[in-house]
Amino acid sequence: MSRKGYAYAILILCDKCTQGLTPVEQQAWEQYQYLEHLVRIAKAKAYLKLKAS
């Protein structure tokens, strides 16, 4: 994720804590969470692959 994308995710988190999210921010937050999920899966698969060899 780019620095700009990461900064936007942090901004969304701050908004979520203080005033809730707009529908656009909610969608962006869900996309960010999904990407983070994919990264965790990729890291786990890479770890298992390295461990097996």
Side-chain angles (χ1 to χ4, degrees):
M1 172 172 280
S2 69
R3 284 186 177 191
K4 185 177 178 181
Y6 183 74
Y8 185 64
I10 297 299
L11 180 64
I12 289 174
L13 274 176
C14 292
D15 284 349
K16 184 177 181 181
C17 292
T18 58
Q19 62 196 16
L21 300 177
T22 67
V24 171
E25 290 172 330
Q26 181 66 34
Q27 183 181 14
W29 177 244
E30 289 171 5
Q31 287 175 344
Y32 176 78
Q33 287 180 311
Y34 180 68
L35 287 173
E36 286 293 314
H37 173 70
L38 292 178
V39 168
R40 284 192 301 272
I41 290 172
K43 285 181 177 182
K45 285 183 178 182
Y47 172 78
L48 291 174
K49 199 175 215 181
L50 286 172
K51 188 177 175 183
S53 55

